[in-house]
Amino acid sequence: MTGARTVWLRQLPFTATVLVLSLFGVAMIYSAGVLEVPSPVTQGLWLRQAVILAAAVVGLLILSRIPLRWFEWFAMPVYIVGVAVLAITLVAGTGAGTAEGVNSFLSIAGFRFQPAEAAKVTTALALALLLARREEPPRYLRDLLTPALLVAVPLVLVLLQPDLGTALAFVGMFFAIIYWARTPWPLILFAASPGLGLLLAFSARVWSVYIIVLAIALYLYRFRLYLVESVSVILGNVAAGAVAQPLWNSLAQYQRNRLLVFLDPSLDPRNAGWQLIQSKVAVGSGGLMGKGFTAGTQKRLAFLPEQHTDFIFSVVGEELGFVGTAVTLLLFCHLFLRMIRMAETASTPFAGLFIFGIMGVWLTHVFVNVGMTIGVVPITGIPLPFISYGGSFLLMSWMAAAIAVALASEDS
Amino acid sequence: MSRRRNRHSVLASRARIAVVVLLGILASVLFRAQVLRATDWLLQSERNRLRPLTVPAPRGIIRDRDGRVLADNIPGYSISIVPDQPDSMFSTLRRLREHLELPAGRLETLSRQIRAGGPRPLLVTGDAPFDAVAALEERRSGFPRLLIEPRPKRRYPAGQLGAHVIGYVGEINEAELARPEFEDAEPGWIVGRSGVESHYESLLRGRAGTRYVEVDAAGRIVGSFGGVEGVAVDPGEDIDLNLDLELMEWIHHVFPAGMNGAVVALDVETGGVLALYSAPAFDPNVFAGVVDADEWSRLVANPESPLYHRAVMGTYPPGSPWKLVTAMIALDLGVVTPDEHMPVPCRGAYVYGNRVARCWDAEGHGSLDLPGAIQHSCNVYFYQLGLRIGLARTLGVGNRMGFGNQCGIDLPQEAGGIFPESVDFWERRFGYRAREGEVLNLAIGQGPNDQTPLKMAQFLLAIARDGSAPAPTLYSEAVPAEGWRLDIRPEHLREIRDGMRRVMLPGGTAHLSSLEHFDLLGKTGTVEHGGEGLEHSWFTGIAGPFGGPPEVALVAMVEFAGSGSSVAAPLVAKAADFYLRGKHGIPRDTIQTLREHLVAGRDAAWANRRDPR
C-alpha cells in the first residue's frame, strides 16, 4: 500500500492520456456547438461536459485509493445492484438528447444518468472476479457458461432498451476477458460462432458452407470437447440461423435501414443513408490539415447529424483533418497499449482481467464509433470514449479508469 | 507467478497486435479518405452547401437617334422560394400571400412549377411592390427560405409613344422555354414580347450570371459565398434606333384626337425609320412587372384594338396613292413617257368593253400627260395606262416590288401586303378566270390589293431615291433586308415628282398642306372601304429642302377620317415640317401648313410665289 496517496501518478502515462482525451473531447464538444444557426441546447454542452470531467477527476482521485480487496468484496453485490437498476430502467427509463428513441436514462432527484454505463463497469468487475477465482484457464465450453450468463443478463436488458451499441460493448468485454483468462482460441471461436452464424444466415448458401466448415472444425477439435458441447455449438448455430429472419423482421425500420445503407448508402440518401454520406463527406473533406477548429462547414451548416455525440469524430476529421484523426487514434492506441501493459504486470489475475476487460469495452467503442463515421461499420448508436458528449459515459469511463489504476497499483 | 506472467506476455503481444491492426484499419481508411481522395470529398461538401443563384442580366437600353431613352431599367425586387419539399414550399407560398397579392393564374403556374421541382429558386414575382418587400424583410425569420433580391425592372419613359415599336417584355412562358433559342432560360426570365424588345431579344437580353450562396442542411440561406467563382453577368447590348422620339411626340400631338390610324416616316438616304406611329396605343409600362390579367383582358377587349400595330400590321386598300405605283411600273417597263398623253381624254368615264369605268370627277379632266394625271388623280388616264401595262405585267412588277409581301423591317409582327401573285389568283379566290379588265381596278388602287402604311412608305423611297427601295430599319446598326429596284430614268423620276409637287400647288388637292420652307410632294387618297363611316384618309409624300433631293418619305393613314386632303395631308405636312426644321436648324413653329398660315392670318404670299410650271 505504499504511495497509495499518489497511485494515479504511478500510472501517469495512462491517466494523462485519459485526461488529454477528455480535454480534447470538451474542446470538440465546444466546436460541435458552433453552428451557423446556433442552438441554445448544443451551445453550452461543452461546459456541462467540463463540469462532469472535473467531478470525474475528483472521483478518480478518491476511487483509485480504494484497496483491491474492497473491489473483490463488492464486485458481486454491485453487479447485482447494476442489473437491478437496469431492470428498473426498462420500466421507468426515458430517452434523452440524441438517444431520444432509446429508454436508457433514469432520473433520480433531478439527475439523469444511464445505468447501462455503470453496468459495464460492475459487470466487468464481476466477470473478472468470476474468472480470477478459477485455478485453471477454461478448457471446455461449459467453463464459459457461467461467465456468458453473467454478461448475458445485463446485455439482454440493454438490448431491450433497445441500445445495440452498448450491448456490443458487453460483447467486446466478454471476449476480452475470456481471452485474458487464457481460454484457448478455438473455444473462443466456437463461443462466438452463433453470432457469426446469425450474420451469415442472410444468405442460405453462405450459411450452409459456413455450417459445414464449422462441423469440420468441431470434428478436428473433437478430443478437446465433450460431444454434447460440439452438438450444442452446431445447435446454437442452427438456432441462430433459424431466428435470423424473425429477428430481422422484429427490427425497427430505421435499424434495418442502417444495416442496408451500410451496404449501399444511396439506397436511402435522405434518411438512413444521410448520416453516413454526410459523415463521410465531413471526414473526407477535412483533408490533411482540416478546415480549422470550429470551421467545419458540414457541421456548421447542420449537415452532420449528432455532431456532439455519436458523430463527434466526424467533426474531428472535418476540422482537424487527417492530422487530427491520426493523433486521436494514436492517443487511443497509446491508451490501449498502456492498459495491456497494466494488465500484463498486474499483481493479481482479478486486476489483469478487469483492466483487459475495460480495454475490450473501449476498443469496441472506438472501433465501432470511428468505423461508422467512415463507413467501415454499420451505424450504431455508440459514443467515442472520453470525447463524445455524455455525462454518464464520461463519468463511468473515468471510474473504470480509477479502478484500473487502483488495481494496477496494488502490490501482491 | 512468473509462469503466469510469461503466458500472459504471449497473450499481451497478440492483444497489442490486435489493437494496432484494428486501429490501423481505421487509420488507413482515414488516410484514403482524407489524403488520397480529399478533393472529391471537398467537392461534395461544397456542393452540399453552395447553391447557384441566377443573376439576371440587365437588358440593354433602347435609345432613339438622339440618345433619348425609350426603354431602360429601374431597380425592383424579385421574390423567390428556395427549393424544398413541395409541402413546405406550398406552405411558404400560402403565408406569402398574406403580404403579397398574386393573381390566380400566377398561383396555378407556381403550383405546377413546385410539383415539377428543380434545383433553382422558384420565382414568385419578378416585380414585388416595395411595401410587400418591406413587410417580408421585417418577418425575415418567419420566411427562412425566401429569397428577396434586387432585380432590374423594365421602364418605358416614352410611355405609349413607344408601345408598338419598342414593344414590351414579359415573363417567359412554357412554350418559349421549349424553344432552342431559350435553351439556357429559366422560368421567371423576362423576355421581349413584341416590337424591338422581341426582335432584338438576343442582343438585349445579355447572358445571366450565376452566384453562389451558402445554405445549411435545412436549405436556409446563411450568406453569400465568394469562394467559388460564379459566372459574371454579361449585360445586354444597348440599341440605338433610327427613331426620332421628338418627331413621334409631335405626330402624337398633331394626330387627330380620338381617331385611329398610322403615320410612317422614313429617312430617304438610309431607309431608317424616323417615326412609326400607331393610334390608339397603350402604356407598355403595365407589362413591365407581373401582368394584371384584368388589365390585359381590357386591352384585348377594347374595340379600338390598342394592341394592334396599325403602321405595320394594318392592311388597307391603297386607293389613289397607288396611281404612283402604276406610273412607276409603266416607266420601269418603258411603256409610256411622262409627256405622253393617253389616247382617250377624260370625259368623266372610260368605256371598256361593256363596262363603264368612272373617273372620280364626273366633269372629266381632258387630255393629260403623266404629271397632270398624277396631279388630278385622273382615273381615266390610269385605266388606259393599266391596260397598256397589262394585267400579268402589273402583277409581275408589283410582286417584284414586294407588294404581296413584307418589307422586312426589323420587327416581329409585320403583316405582308395582299396582292395577287399571278392571274391564277382570281380563279382560286373568286372562282373565275381573270379578265384583262381586272387591271382597271388595280391601276387605281382598288381590287384585291391591301397594303400596310409601312409598305407604302417603302414604295415612296423608290420615288425619292433613284428607283430603289431598301427595307426600312429601326436599329441604326441593322443591315437592311434586300430591297428592290426599278429601272427608271432620273428625268422620268423627276416628272413623277413634278406631278406630286403639283398636288401641292394652287389647284392641287393638297395645296392647303403645302409648306413655307420645304418642298413637299405628295399624293392624297380618299379610299372607300365598303363599311360604314367616312372613307380612309391617305396621304403619301416625300419632302426636302427646295432644290435639294428629298430627305424624308412619309405616309399617313387615318381610318374613317374622310378625304386625304383634309386629314392625312396636313398630318404628313406637319410631321415633315417638324422633322426638316429640326434637321436644318430652322426654328420650329406650330403654324406650318398654308391653311394654318391663312387661319392664323400670317403672311402666306410664299404659297403664290411658287412657279406652277
Side-chain angles (χ1 to χ4, degrees), chain B residues 77-81 96 100 122-129 132-133 136 146-149:
Chain B
Y77 291 92
S78 71
I79 295 179
S80 333
I81 303 175
L96 199 57
L100 189 70
L122 173 78
L123 182 83
V124 178
T125 170
D127 178 29
V133 170
L136 288 167
L146 212 59
L147 191 62
I148 301 177
E149 284 191 304

Side-chain angles (χ1 to χ4, degrees), chain B residues 68-225:
Chain B
R68 283 175 290 247
V69 173
L70 298 168
D72 63 358
N73 307 302
I74 53 169
Y77 291 92
S78 71
I79 295 179
S80 333
I81 303 175
V82 179
D84 191 10
Q85 301 296 323
D87 283 352
S88 67
M89 290 178 79
F90 278 122
S91 130
T92 305
L93 196 58
R94 253 195 313 282
R95 288 185 297 124
L96 199 57
R97 288 174 61 201
E98 292 164 21
H99 308 285
L100 189 70
E101 243 179 84
L102 290 174
R106 180 83 205 149
L107 277 174
E108 264 169 47
T109 316
L110 288 172
S111 302
R112 211 165 37 246
Q113 286 170 356
I114 288 175
R115 275 183 228 108
R120 299 249 172 178
L122 173 78
L123 182 83
V124 178
T125 170
D127 178 29
F130 187 76
D131 51 339
V133 170
L136 288 167
E137 285 288 0
E138 262 173 44
R139 296 163 180 79
R140 206 86 187 88
S141 57
F143 291 97
R145 292 175 150 275
L146 212 59
L147 191 62
I148 301 177
E149 284 191 304
R151 177 195 186 108
K153 177 182 160 184
R154 205 62 162 161
R155 183 180 66 145
Y156 300 104
Q160 51 175 311
L161 277 179
H164 296 109
V165 185
I166 308 308
Y168 50 91
V169 292
E171 209 171 281
I172 192 164
N173 59 37
E174 277 153 61
E176 284 167 323
L177 276 170
R179 295 219 299 262
E181 66 261 38
F182 292 113
E183 202 175 28
D184 57 338
E186 297 164 25
W189 274 28
I190 296 301
V191 294
R193 273 272 160 273
S194 74
V196 171
E197 290 273 31
S198 167
H199 190 86
Y200 288 109
E201 170 66 21
S202 56
L203 274 183
L204 289 165
R205 183 171 61 206
R207 256 215 345 272
T210 299
R211 73 186 176 90
Y212 288 90
V213 290
E214 197 175 36
V215 297
D216 68 6
R220 286 179 291 221
I221 292 173
V222 296
S224 60
F225 183 77

Side-chain angles (χ1 to χ4, degrees), chain A residues 98-365:
Chain A
T98 55
E100 194 64 62
V102 179
N103 293 330
S104 59
F105 283 86
L106 205 58
S107 298
I108 293 177
F111 287 97
R112 295 163 56 81
F113 70 102
Q114 289 172 292
E117 296 302 338
K120 276 184 211 163
V121 183
T122 58
T123 306
L125 277 173
L127 194 58
L129 188 68
L130 188 71
L131 285 163
R133 279 184 183 154
R134 293 184 60 90
E135 292 297 318
E136 290 296 318
R139 285 176 56 194
Y140 302 102
L141 274 174
R142 61 165 191 198
D143 297 335
L144 296 177
L145 202 59
T146 324
L149 278 174
L150 197 75
V151 174
V153 173
L155 188 151
V156 167
L157 288 173
V158 167
L159 263 184
L160 287 174
Q161 286 183 350
D163 184 351
L164 184 63
T166 307
L168 274 178
F170 279 99
V171 173
M173 174 207 296
F174 173 72
F175 284 104
I177 289 182
I178 64 169
Y179 168 79
W180 197 252
R182 285 174 287 150
T183 308
W185 63 267
L187 274 192
I188 295 178
L189 284 185
F190 288 136
S193 65
L196 193 57
L198 190 67
L199 291 180
L200 296 180
F202 293 107
S203 161
R205 194 174 302 169
V206 172
W207 190 78
S208 312
V209 172
Y210 160 76
I211 283 292
I212 291 165
V213 170
L214 186 72
I216 293 169
L218 282 169
Y219 175 77
L220 293 175
Y221 204 67
R222 64 189 180 282
F223 304 114
R224 310 277 296 272
L225 284 176
Y226 292 112
L227 183 62
V228 65
E229 290 180 340
S230 302
V231 172
S232 301
V233 169
I234 290 290
L235 282 179
N237 275 278
V238 171
V243 301
Q245 194 60 44
L247 196 65
W248 172 255
N249 291 339
S250 75
L251 284 180
Q253 187 61 46
Y254 81 93
Q255 288 171 317
R256 271 187 255 170
N257 282 348
R258 279 175 170 186
L259 291 170
L260 289 175
V261 298
F262 170 65
L263 301 173
D264 181 6
S266 62
L267 271 182
D268 190 8
R270 298 302 304 176
N271 299 306
W274 172 263
Q275 292 184 321
L276 179 54
I277 292 168
Q278 296 303 341
S279 171
K280 283 168 91 170
V281 168
V283 172
S285 66
L288 185 62
M289 301 302 293
K291 296 176 185 171
F293 184 62
T294 74
T297 57
Q298 286 283 103
K299 173 215 71 183
R300 202 163 53 77
L301 299 166
F303 288 100
L304 198 61
E306 301 178 15
Q307 77 281 6
H308 56 284
T309 53
D310 291 352
F311 283 92
I312 192 130
F313 190 77
S314 312
V315 180
V316 176
E318 183 178 28
E319 300 189 344
L320 305 177
F322 182 68
V323 172
T325 55
V327 166
T328 308
L329 288 184
L330 280 175
L331 280 171
F332 276 118
C333 189
H334 176 250
L335 182 76
F336 297 149
L337 296 182
R338 263 330 287 183
M339 290 174 84
I340 292 170
R341 182 85 193 140
M342 284 159 74
E344 195 181 2
T345 57
S347 57
T348 66
F350 173 59
L353 285 166
F354 176 79
I355 294 167
F356 199 83
I358 292 298
M359 196 279 292
V361 171
W362 290 349
L363 181 61
T364 307
H365 270 273

Side-chain angles (χ1 to χ4, degrees), chain A residues 16-49:
Chain A
T17 309
V18 167
L19 185 64
V20 168
L21 280 169
S22 303
L23 291 173
F24 179 59
V26 171
M28 290 320 296
I29 291 164
Y30 168 77
S31 172
V34 180
L35 300 178
E36 196 65 46
V37 182
S39 141
V41 180
T42 52
Q43 229 168 4
L45 288 182
W46 69 275
L47 207 59
R48 288 184 58 184
Q49 185 85 344

